[in-house]
Structures are given as structure tokens and as C-alpha cells.
């Protein structure tokens, strides 16, 4: 009888172990597929965006000098530009959001140039003009910025300039998290809608925008392992850790209606920050991208008209718009106007940089 019980228990144990193993295998597969989909290449098709090419910018602002640059980031060549005259004595480095690219921040970049800065912009790994099979993950922006700073520090023309970091979303994480590295000449940081950690924002997205709810907690450990495998030790670097580990002034700008970065936003970790040079700006009614977008009534109306017009075209073609129709539509947009900046946000950042 005892042998039968032991045998039965052994069978049950084998079944349970097999189910656990099956669950783990499935969870790893789901996680890998999920991450590959999220972090594939972010290519640019300038004919179908509201953004400018380098040549567009040169034509629009012939008074602004441009110098093409490139540097290595973990085996991938990243491409970018330095904008502004060589006699400018301050340098802003802009780190863009995931799925976006350097020239998507044209208005912000020109704001800094017109305020007397040189500006370094670049496309992150797997983005637009830069190399890489994909954007890799939520920590890659910090790795790329770290390598951009190494490029600056090795460049005879740039290495002695005071450096100011500006980043949005993925880039907002990067500009604070890169403070975990040893870099000289960083004078101040402005993080707009930046998140604190790789794991924190991943779990927030899984629970919220990805609609996984409580199931997130079952998949998240495996997604975290996959993410760590890609990012290495950078996965453990957080914005809070970088801010607290330095005495560099950091400004966190956050909209209270941000549905992309909220729970894990740097702003919502403000009570953990011990750096007495940390400040924050909460924008009432601000959305993830809206905190940088103009709230001028004329521009808002123009944007609304463009969006409604495009909605009509999509309905007409059942979301299968012929390319020539798409190209014609985007060619008529006043891109400089459509992408107008939020003066209040940028003024706050300018003033913060000025007093650093």
C-alpha cells in the first residue's frame, strides 16, 4: 500500500514539475516575442511624418551650421549632428524617445541653438539613420547616451565644454540614469516624462497599456530576465540611483495626465531622491508628448484640423491609404508650426540650465 502511495505521489510530483517547466518555457517564449515586437527597428520614412530631414532643416534654417558625427555604441555605429557655431561655449545633448528620432525634436533643438548653445543630436541604436537590428530595450537609451558622452570627452573641440542633458521619455530615463556612470562636465539635466527603471516601466506598461492586468506578475520575471540578458548591468541602473549618486542639478518635468509614464515616473519617485539639487515641475493636464507641445490656441486648432483631415482620409481608404495620397497629405503640413514647442516647459528648462 505504501509503495502505491509513493508511486502516486511521484506521478503527481512529475506532473506538477512538468507543468511548472511548461509554464516557464511558455513564459520565456511569450516574453521574448513580446520584447522583440516592442524593440524592433524604428526606421524613418520622412515622406510620411511631420518631422524634418537634415536637409529640410538646413533649408529652413540656413543660418545654423551642421556637422555630421558618428560614434560607436556596443558595436553599432550611431549617426547624429552637432548644430550651431563652434564659438558657442555650452553644449546640450538631446536624447530622444523610443520610436522617435533625433530630428523629431527639431523645435527643442533650435530653441537651445537660438539660446546660445551648441546642440548634439543622434539617433539611438536601431533607430532611423543609426545601425542596429532593433532598439534593444528600455536601458539602451542610457547606454547610447553614455557612449555619446564618451565621444564628446574624446573630441578635442567639445571635451572642455560644459554639458547639459535634455531627454524625453526613453531619453528622459537616459539623461538621469547616465549619472550612474562617471562623466565630467555635466552641469545640469532636464528629464521630461522620464521613467525610473527598466523593470518598473516594463511592469507598468504590461499592467496598463498592454492590458495584461494581474497576469503581468506571472510573465514579468521572465521578461526581466530577457531584458537583463540584453542590457547587462545597465538593467540595474535607475534614474533615482543616478540622481542620488551625484550632486548635479536635475529637473524632472511630468504631466499629470501622462498615460505612458506615470507610476514609475521620476516624479513619482521624488520622495526617494536625496540630491538637494533635484527639482520637479508637474504640468496640470499635461500628456506624455503634450508637455513639450505648444498650447497656443492657433497651433492647437491647426493640429486639430490636420488630425481630423487625416482621419477622414483613413476612413475613405479603410486604413489602406495609397502611398501617393499619404505623401501628398504630409507634404502640405507646415511641420514647423505643427511641432510648435511648449514655451512654458522650455522656459522652465532654460532657466534651470541658466542657474546651474
Amino acid at each position: 500500500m505504501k509503495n502505491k502511495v509513493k508511486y502516486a505521489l511521484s506521478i503527481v510530483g512529475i506532473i506538477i514539475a512538468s507543468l511548472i517547466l511548461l509554464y516557464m518555457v511558455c513564459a520565456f517564449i511569450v516574453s521574448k516575442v513580446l520584447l522583440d515586437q516592442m524593440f524592433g527597428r524604428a526606421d524613418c520614412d520622412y515622406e510620411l511624418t511631420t518631422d524634418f530631414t537634415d536637409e529640410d532643416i538646413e533649408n529652413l534654417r540656413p543660418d545654423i551650421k551642421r556637422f555630421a558625427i558618428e560614434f560607436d555604441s556596443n558595436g553599432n555605429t550611431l549617426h547624429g549632428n552637432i548644430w550651431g557655431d563652434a564659438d558657442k561655449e555650452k553644449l546640450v545633448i538631446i536624447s530622444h524617445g523610443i520610436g522617435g528620432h533625433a530630428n523629431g525634436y527639431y523645435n527643442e533643438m533650435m530653441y537651445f541653438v537660438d539660446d546660445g548653445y551648441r546642440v548634439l543630436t543622434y539617433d539611438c541604436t536601431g533607430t532611423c539613420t543609426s545601425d542596429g537590428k532593433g532598439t534593444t530595450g528600455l536601458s539602451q537609451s542610457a547606454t547610447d547616451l553614455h557612449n555619446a558622452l564618451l565621444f564628446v570627452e574624446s573630441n578635442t573641440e567639445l571635451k572642455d565644454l560644459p554639458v547639459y542633458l535634455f531627454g524625453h521619455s526613453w531619453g528622459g530615463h537616459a539623461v538621469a540614469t547616465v549619472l550612474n556612470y562617471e562623466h565630467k562636465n555635466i552641469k545640469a539635466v532636464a528629464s521630461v516624462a522620464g521613467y525610473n527603471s527598466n523593470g518598473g516601466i516594463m511592469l507598468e506598461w504590461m499592467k496598463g497599456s498592454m492590458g495584461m492586468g494581474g497576469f503581468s506578475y506571472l510573465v514579468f520575471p521572465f521578461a526581466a530576465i530577457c531584458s537583463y540578458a540584453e542590457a547587462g548591468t545597465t538593467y540595474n541602473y535607475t534614474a533615482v540611483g543616478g540622481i542620488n549618486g551625484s550632486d548635479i542639478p536635475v529637473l524632472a518635468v511630468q504631466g499629470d495626465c501622462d498615460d505612458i509614464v506615470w507610476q514609475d515616473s521620476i516624479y513619482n519617485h521624488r520622495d526617494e531622491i536625496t540630491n538637494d539639487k533635484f527639482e520637479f515641475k508637474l504640468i496640470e493636464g499635461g500628456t506624455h508628448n503634450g508637455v513639450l507641445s505648444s498650447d497656443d490656441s492657433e497651433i492647437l486648432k491647426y493640429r486639430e484640423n490636420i488630425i481630423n483631415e487625416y482621419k477622414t482620409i483613413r476612413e475613405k481608404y479603410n486604413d489602406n491609404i495609397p502611398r501617393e495620397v499619404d505623401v501628398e497629405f504630409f507634404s502640405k503640413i507646415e511641420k514647423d508650426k505643427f511641432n510648435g514647442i511648449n514655451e512654458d516647459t522650455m522656459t522652465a528648462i532654460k532657466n534651470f540650465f541658466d542657474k546651474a
Side-chain angles (χ1 to χ4, degrees):
M1 186 63 156
K2 288 183 179 180
N3 289 336
K4 289 183 177 180
V5 171
K6 287 182 179 179
Y7 178 75
L9 290 174
S10 297
I11 295 299
V12 171
I14 292 171
I15 292 172
I16 292 173
S18 298
L19 289 174
I20 292 173
L21 180 61
L22 179 62
Y23 158 69
M24 292 177 66
V25 170
C26 290
F28 269 120
I29 292 173
V30 168
S31 298
K32 180 61 176 170
V33 170
L34 191 70
L35 294 173
D36 286 347
Q37 289 178 344
M38 289 179 67
F39 304 118
R41 272 202 63 87
D43 287 314
C44 300
D45 187 345
Y46 282 109
E47 289 188 316
L48 302 182
T49 73
T50 60
D51 299 326
F52 294 115
T53 65
D54 292 342
E55 291 71 25
D56 289 334
I57 296 171
E58 288 180 330
N59 291 332
L60 192 66
R61 291 294 304 269
D63 57 312
I64 305 299
K65 292 181 180 179
R66 175 175 75 90
F67 303 91
I69 62 167
E70 61 180 47
F71 57 91
D72 178 81
S73 184
N74 288 13
N76 291 306
T77 300
L78 307 191
H79 298 274
N81 293 294
I82 297 174
W83 305 87
D85 295 332
D87 62 352
K88 304 302 181 185
E89 297 181 350
K90 299 179 292 184
L91 176 69
V92 168
I93 301 178
I94 295 180
S95 182
H96 65 76
I98 197 163
H101 57 100
N103 287 1
Y105 295 81
Y106 159 78
N107 289 75
E108 288 80 11
M109 137 179 124
M110 286 300 135
Y111 182 93
F112 287 121
V113 169
D114 289 336
D115 196 43
Y117 292 85
R118 297 190 83 186
V119 178
L120 188 156
T121 62
Y122 60 93
D123 291 324
C124 284
T125 296
T127 299
C128 203
T129 63
S130 291
D131 294 347
K133 64 180 181 180
T135 52
T136 304
L138 292 163
S139 297
Q140 187 62 42
S141 57
T143 298
D144 289 344
L145 179 56
H146 166 58
N147 286 301
L149 285 162
L150 291 177
F151 165 79
V152 169
E153 291 161 6
S154 66
N155 184 282
T156 55
E157 188 177 327
L158 304 173
K159 65 179 183 179
D160 295 322
L161 294 180
V163 174
Y164 301 80
L165 304 180
F166 170 89
H168 173 237
S169 191
W170 196 37
H173 170 73
V175 295
T177 302
V178 81
L179 300 179
N180 286 282
Y181 295 92
E182 292 292 331
H183 286 292
K184 64 178 183 178
N185 293 346
I186 299 176
K187 301 303 179 185
V189 172
S191 172
V192 181
Y195 54 88
N196 178 50
S197 68
N198 187 319
I201 194 62
M202 174 65 73
L203 185 58
E204 179 177 342
W205 286 354
M206 290 171 74
K207 288 163 55 180
S209 58
M210 296 172 70
M212 297 174 66
F215 183 65
S216 304
Y217 293 100
L218 296 176
V219 177
F220 172 71
F222 303 95
I225 292 171
C226 292
S227 296
Y228 184 85
E230 288 281 2
T233 55
T234 309
Y235 177 87
N236 296 320
Y237 289 165
T238 66
V240 170
I243 295 168
N244 287 344
S246 74
D247 62 352
I248 295 170
V250 177
L251 173 67
V253 178
Q254 181 69 38
D256 66 357
C257 291
D258 191 327
D259 61 352
I260 305 292
V261 176
W262 176 247
Q263 291 178 349
D264 193 51
S265 64
I266 296 173
Y267 168 79
N268 273 327
H269 284 272
R270 63 194 181 281
D271 292 341
E272 302 166 31
I273 294 175
T274 57
N275 182 339
D276 60 10
K277 295 180 181 177
F278 172 77
E279 298 180 20
F280 63 85
K281 178 180 176 63
L282 183 66
I283 299 177
E284 185 177 350
T287 59
H288 189 66
N289 294 319
V291 292
L292 286 175
S293 300
S294 175
D295 54 6
D296 178 83
S297 58
E298 181 182 343
I299 293 179
L300 288 174
K301 185 64 177 176
Y302 178 73
R303 282 199 198 117
E304 182 182 2
N305 289 340
I306 292 293
I307 291 169
N308 288 337
E309 183 180 346
Y310 195 60
K311 182 180 178 181
T312 300
I313 293 173
R314 288 178 59 189
E315 291 173 349
K316 177 180 178 181
Y317 290 99
N318 293 317
D319 283 336
N320 190 25
I321 306 172
R323 182 175 178 85
E324 61 272 17
V325 175
D326 242 351
V327 171
E328 182 182 6
F329 172 81
F330 280 95
S331 69
K332 295 178 180 178
I333 296 175
E334 296 177 55
K335 296 180 178 181
D336 190 26
K337 183 176 181 178
F338 186 91
N339 295 306
I341 61 170
N342 188 298
E343 292 286 347
D344 182 52
T345 297
M346 294 306 295
T347 298
I349 292 171
K350 165 189 155 42
N351 292 339
F352 186 77
F353 282 178
D354 285 348
K355 71 179 184 179

